[in-house]
Amino acid sequence: MQPTVIFDLDGTLVDSRPDIRAALDRLMDARGQPPFTLEEVTRFIGDGVPMLLQRAFAARGLPADPTALPAFLADYEAHAAVQTRPFPGIPQVLDRLEAAGWRMAVCTNKPERAARLLLEALGLMERFAALGGGDSFPVRKPDPAHVLATLQAAGGDAARAVMVGDHHNDVASGTAAGLPAIFCGWGYGLPDMAGSAPTASRPDELPELLDAALAGVPFTSSR
């Protein structure tokens, strides 16, 4: 059976921080607040847009604002790919995996529309058999049902699938779904988020790591 790799999006396939930061700064500027540093925004990302905004507002000592979510999404969707790009080496890795017969899917806590617009703008959407966004199903990561629903939509089988991401939500949801998980060391998550999952320090390590994960053997880098 064809193997399937399920990728997280932000911090795994693409570096989206500049455009997320810009949209947050515009949101805060309208409220008379100063901009965020890139480090601040990095720590906000990973649990979906509502949590992103909750953290951003808390960082500025502001109360929750129900108008912020639709305003932020409308602005971000219009500017999602201004500065966002795949991490160096990712397009080449996707080429290698496709040539090796891997089916690929994306499972992200970013809303599906925003994720789809971003992937289409970057010319990546056609590579993926399915996209499971943060609002595509009743649950989202770290719930394993999000990963399994994305896998089902891609036509994959849990016995031949691997989860790849840069956040503890990716490792936790993949592991709870019964899949081996690989942690992306180039992403936004802190190193201890990997837990017991093997870590890819660079994208070009992923193909070998994925093969090892399917075979159930420990990965040892030759570099």
Side-chain angles (χ1 to χ4, degrees):
M1 175 172 289
Q2 184 181 17
T4 304
V5 54
I6 304 173
F7 288 105
D8 173 52
L9 182 57
D10 302 278
T12 298
L13 294 176
V14 302
D15 186 1
S16 53
R17 293 174 301 173
D19 289 323
I20 293 174
R21 177 189 180 187
L24 280 176
D25 285 349
R26 289 190 291 270
L27 188 73
M28 289 299 164
D29 182 64
R31 290 159 173 78
Q33 297 295 316
F36 292 107
T37 67
L38 196 62
E39 178 62 25
E40 284 179 300
V41 173
T42 301
R43 298 294 161 244
F44 296 161
I45 296 171
D47 296 289
V49 175
M51 184 58 70
L52 174 87
L53 295 181
Q54 180 177 320
R55 290 167 176 159
F57 273 68
R60 292 293 178 263
L62 298 176
D65 182 350
T67 69
L69 180 59
F72 174 84
L73 284 176
D75 180 27
Y76 176 72
E77 288 173 0
H79 304 93
V82 175
Q83 300 180 72
T84 297
R85 297 292 182 269
F87 283 103
I90 285 295
Q92 293 80 5
V93 166
L94 297 181
D95 287 340
R96 288 174 60 187
L97 294 176
E98 185 176 3
W102 283 84
R103 174 190 287 112
M104 297 182 286
V106 171
C107 182
T108 174
N109 281 342
K110 185 191 290 289
E112 181 178 343
R113 174 179 163 82
R116 188 175 299 276
L117 287 170
L118 174 57
L119 288 168
E120 288 175 346
L122 296 178
L124 297 176
M125 189 63 231
E126 64 183 15
R127 292 180 177 268
F128 301 106
L131 167 60
D135 54 358
S136 299
F137 310 108
V139 296
R140 66 184 180 210
K141 297 178 297 184
D143 194 311
H146 188 185
V147 173
L148 291 173
T150 303
L151 179 63
Q152 182 179 27
D157 187 290
R160 296 275 292 166
V162 184
M163 180 71 204
V164 175
D166 72 307
H167 197 272
H168 62 76
N169 284 338
D170 304 309
V171 175
S173 57
T175 301
L179 313 183
I182 296 170
F183 185 77
C184 299
W186 61 85
Y188 306 154
L190 299 174
D192 61 5
M193 289 186 179
S196 60
T199 296
S201 60
R202 301 186 306 273
D204 63 6
E205 287 189 350
L206 280 176
E208 195 174 350
L209 264 172
L210 287 165
D211 289 341
L214 277 189
V217 298
F219 173 78
T220 301
S221 176
S222 60
R223 302 174 179 86

